[in-house]
Amino acid sequence: MQKSWKQTLQLTAIATSLIWTGNAQASSADQWEKLKADTRAACLSESGFKQAKVLEGPIIFSNRVLYRIGGIWPQKHMKGKSGKVYCLHPYPDGKAEIVE
């Protein structure tokens, strides 16, 4: 019996969600919260902003976490203007990288 493209798509979606579920269960909730807290703190610090705050995120990839950070530019010539940057943090080891 030949499967239709809809059946193939449904089976692919089910298999993908089972794989994701299996990977998500491999780490405890505490480990995920620690990862989020550690990468969040590193990104806020690395942004260099005054009054830095997370605007979006975390978006968790296979080995990186992405945040959108906002705050006040610290440079005098910026005259207190607000700004936004993206922070990509590799984990478990790595240094946060800021992109404007």
Side-chain angles (χ1 to χ4, degrees):
M1 178 176 160
Q2 187 175 8
K3 294 181 183 176
S4 72
W5 65 272
K6 287 183 181 179
Q7 288 173 322
T8 303
L9 185 61
Q10 288 173 339
L11 290 174
T12 303
I14 291 168
T16 303
S17 59
L18 287 173
I19 290 168
W20 285 344
T21 303
N23 288 341
Q25 292 174 354
S27 298
S28 72
D30 290 341
Q31 289 171 318
W32 282 111
E33 290 308 313
K34 182 176 180 348
L35 169 71
K36 291 176 193 176
D38 291 349
T39 56
R40 180 181 186 276
C43 284
L44 290 171
S45 174
E46 190 68 25
S47 74
F49 283 135
K50 294 179 181 177
Q51 301 173 14
K53 61 184 173 189
V54 172
L55 302 176
E56 293 180 62
I59 299 171
I60 301 174
F61 297 97
S62 61
N63 64 345
R64 292 181 176 94
V65 180
L66 178 70
Y67 291 92
R68 186 168 178 224
I69 308 291
I72 307 297
W73 292 108
Q75 300 88 346
K76 283 191 173 200
H77 71 276
M78 294 301 285
K79 300 181 181 178
K81 291 183 181 176
S82 63
K84 297 173 191 160
V85 295
Y86 287 95
C87 176
L88 190 61
H89 192 294
Y91 69 86
D93 300 315
K95 185 176 183 337
E97 181 181 345
I98 299 295
V99 179
E100 294 180 25

